[in-house]
Amino acid sequence: MDFLPKPVDEYCSQYTTAENELLKQLNRDTHAHVLQPRMLSGHFQGRLLSMISHMIKPSYILEIGTYTGYSALCLAEGLAQNGKLITIDINPEQEERINRYAAAAGKSNQIQFIVGDAYNIIKTLPHSFDLIFIDADKPNYPKYYEQALEKLSPGGFILIDNVLWSGKVLDEQERDKDKDTKTLHALNAFIQQDNRVENILLPVRDGLMLVRKK
Ligand code: SAH
Ligand code: CA
């Protein structure tokens, strides 16, 4: 679903810094060779992730849901010197591609890909994070949100993707009959009344919830 009229959407993309060649290549490569390429963040959201990361200059970033590594590369652009991004995906199939692109970006020693179920892996991570991007299986979003808050440095930020779920979260019937819609709407409502954080729901792409831990 497009939330913005197409010409406005196109104008916004046109006046947003272009993807670099490597990201363009990964974008094309994913569309040509990987199932469900719509999951990739893409040009506009990728530039927003990069911009937010540059504003925070995080020492540690955690990403839940790597896919082909597009958003990981964008987020890693803003890392502090010697900063690290850990990205987790349950699917081992993209490991070679992710590592190849991280190397091409000159970030092999800054981007660490871990294969496995995010919930179990996050528990084992030893340090806290300044920025956490939640973008994996929707039924587990509420669990990831709690884990992320625990692992977040004070004043740190969480970004949660797809919280508008193609606009279905607005539809009461969809909330009743579709489990993911129900979960995402309940999470939005939970965050809204959560005194531990401040939050802003950005109507970017499929909805991006930006959360700051107080
Ligand atoms: N962040 C990527 C897109 C991620 S798509 C981008 O913006 O380009 C969602 C990913 O979550 C998929 O690759 C899927 O394999 C992964 N995923 C699903 N369930 C998971 C789980 N339990 N633990 C970790 N990753 C999971
Ligand atoms: Ca997503």
Side-chain angles (χ1 to χ4, degrees), residues 39-42 45 49 63-72 88-91 116-119 133 135-138 140 144 161 205:
M39 297 206 297
L40 177 140
S41 275
Q45 180 159 312
L49 295 176
E63 177 180 69
I64 309 171
T66 320
Y67 187 48
T68 56
Y70 187 94
S71 51
I88 306 168
D89 205 293
I90 200 163
N91 181 1
D117 177 51
Y119 182 74
F133 182 41
D135 192 18
D137 47 326
K138 310 311 165 197
N140 284 317
Y144 297 148
D161 197 25
R205 200 162 155 272

Side-chain angles (χ1 to χ4, degrees), residues 76-97:
E77 290 175 20
L79 276 173
Q81 221 180 357
N82 303 319
K84 271 211 157 182
L85 179 145
I86 291 173
T87 180
I88 306 168
D89 205 293
I90 200 163
N91 181 1
E93 283 168 35
Q94 302 305 323
E95 183 158 21
E96 186 276 329
R97 179 179 270 103

